[in-house]
Amino acid sequence: KILAGVAAVALTIGLTVSVNAANNPPKIGLVQIDLSNPFHLGEVEGAKEAARRFGFDLVVTSGEGDVNKQIQAVENLINQGVDAISINFIDAGAFGPTMAKAKAANIPIICLHSKPEGCAATLGFDERYTGKIVGDYAAELLKAKYNGEVKGKVANLQGLLGQGLNTDRSGGFTDVMAKYPGVQVVAQEPTSWDPTKAVSITENWMTAYPDLDLIYGNSDSLTVPASTVIERAGKKGQIMLVSVDGTKEGLQAVKDGVMKSTVLLAPQYSGFWKAYFPYLVATKK
């Protein structure tokens, strides 16, 4: 009888906790760079799945590519009193006062791909290693093209200057290229993760570097559009494309032979953790 009574009390407490959690679920903010890039949209899909599985509220917003708008988006979430915020920074260095406001409000900030002062935690891939993977494979491709010698002219479509993710993706690649005296990195240009800029830059490269051998795009959202320029220029067989992201579009481009490779970071998987991990922090799990 005593054991039965204890079990009944435990069950009642458990039910009360569950009901309270259901009535007052944690609210998690996810702040993206923009909501137009396919990778960022794929991440939102994954974040929504995390919220569905674990029963928390998810608020998704972005800076629309503008750091001032992104700061305002974060401060709006702070004013709403959310339980945790994850931020994919446009410019982490601009967020000092905002990070201080979050700290004063006791709202943990999960920093994505960057490590400014005041992060409760940081979350991201080892992007230097990502760039190295691409560089190693690019070297194999050039070696096959030139009958055993790693040489040629390569270019790099970058993302957003000043963003740690972009710096490391490019740096890991150029670290590898620097090992081969026969390889020239003839151009590295930022696109701010904008596909239209990637197209414009690639068009310019077709004229400036007629003997270009390979282009590395720091994101499928840049490399896939660049492939259309190469096809129009009649250089599909000449210029090889390597990329990062593993989006549906990127995987299809590899399958179709348009790109040689992409690194499977899988935006849905990445986005799941960018919402689930802040939830774990907010609930002290």
Side-chain angles (χ1 to χ4, degrees):
K1 286 182 179 178
I2 292 171
L3 288 174
V6 171
V9 171
L11 180 61
T12 303
I13 292 170
L15 285 171
T16 303
V17 171
S18 298
V19 169
N20 287 341
N23 290 338
N24 299 290
K27 184 176 284 189
I28 305 300
L30 171 61
V31 185
Q32 289 283 35
I33 290 173
D34 59 52
L35 292 174
S36 56
N37 186 298
F39 193 86
H40 298 156
L41 292 172
E43 287 188 319
V44 171
E45 289 177 25
K48 288 179 177 178
E49 175 60 17
R52 185 193 70 80
R53 287 192 195 184
F54 295 97
F56 59 87
D57 288 340
L58 178 69
V59 182
V60 178
T61 184
S62 87
E64 300 173 16
D66 182 313
V67 67
N68 293 316
K69 288 183 179 180
Q70 192 179 46
I71 288 169
Q72 188 59 58
V74 174
E75 295 193 356
N76 288 344
L77 290 172
I78 293 170
N79 293 336
Q80 289 175 36
V82 300
D83 295 287
I85 305 171
S86 76
I87 310 171
N88 190 3
F89 296 95
I90 293 173
D91 179 1
F95 275 79
T98 303
M99 297 292 280
K101 288 179 184 178
K103 183 177 180 180
N106 201 30
I107 297 173
I109 300 292
I110 310 306
C111 301
L112 308 176
H113 310 293
S114 299
K115 299 178 182 179
E117 192 73 28
C119 305
T122 58
L123 191 65
F125 298 99
D126 182 345
E127 299 293 356
R128 200 89 187 183
Y129 181 69
T130 299
K132 179 184 180 300
I133 292 171
V134 181
D136 287 340
Y137 188 59
E140 287 183 31
L141 292 171
L142 292 169
K143 184 177 181 179
K145 181 175 182 178
Y146 287 106
N147 301 314
E149 184 179 358
V150 181
K151 66 177 185 178
K153 294 183 178 180
V154 305
N156 175 209
L157 285 169
Q158 298 183 318
L160 186 66
L161 282 187
Q163 188 184 26
L165 175 156
N166 176 71
T167 301
D168 286 339
R169 279 191 191 176
S170 288
F173 177 79
T174 53
D175 286 348
V176 176
M177 295 297 101
K179 295 178 182 178
Y180 302 101
V183 175
Q184 290 179 265
V185 181
V186 295
Q188 289 185 281
E189 294 194 38
T191 64
S192 300
W193 306 116
D194 183 342
T196 58
K197 288 184 181 178
V199 166
S200 177
I201 290 167
T202 307
E203 287 173 342
N204 291 339
W205 286 349
M206 293 302 97
T207 303
Y209 311 107
D211 51 352
L212 194 61
D213 293 290
L214 181 142
I215 294 175
Y216 163 40
N218 285 15
S219 166
D220 289 345
S221 63
L222 310 176
T223 323
V224 174
S227 72
T228 63
V229 176
I230 290 168
E231 285 197 88
R232 286 200 304 268
K235 294 188 175 184
K236 183 179 175 182
Q238 174 192 327
I239 302 175
M240 299 176 286
L241 289 162
V242 290
S243 188
V244 174
D245 273 352
T247 59
K248 288 181 283 188
E249 295 83 359
L251 294 171
Q252 189 63 47
V254 174
K255 185 178 180 181
D256 293 341
V258 174
M259 295 189 334
K260 291 292 185 182
S261 66
T262 186
V263 179
L264 186 61
L265 299 183
Q268 288 79 7
Y269 172 83
S270 174
F272 183 97
W273 279 93
K274 288 177 179 181
Y276 177 52
F277 191 74
Y279 160 74
L280 294 177
V281 172
T283 54
K284 296 181 169 48
K285 297 184 189 298

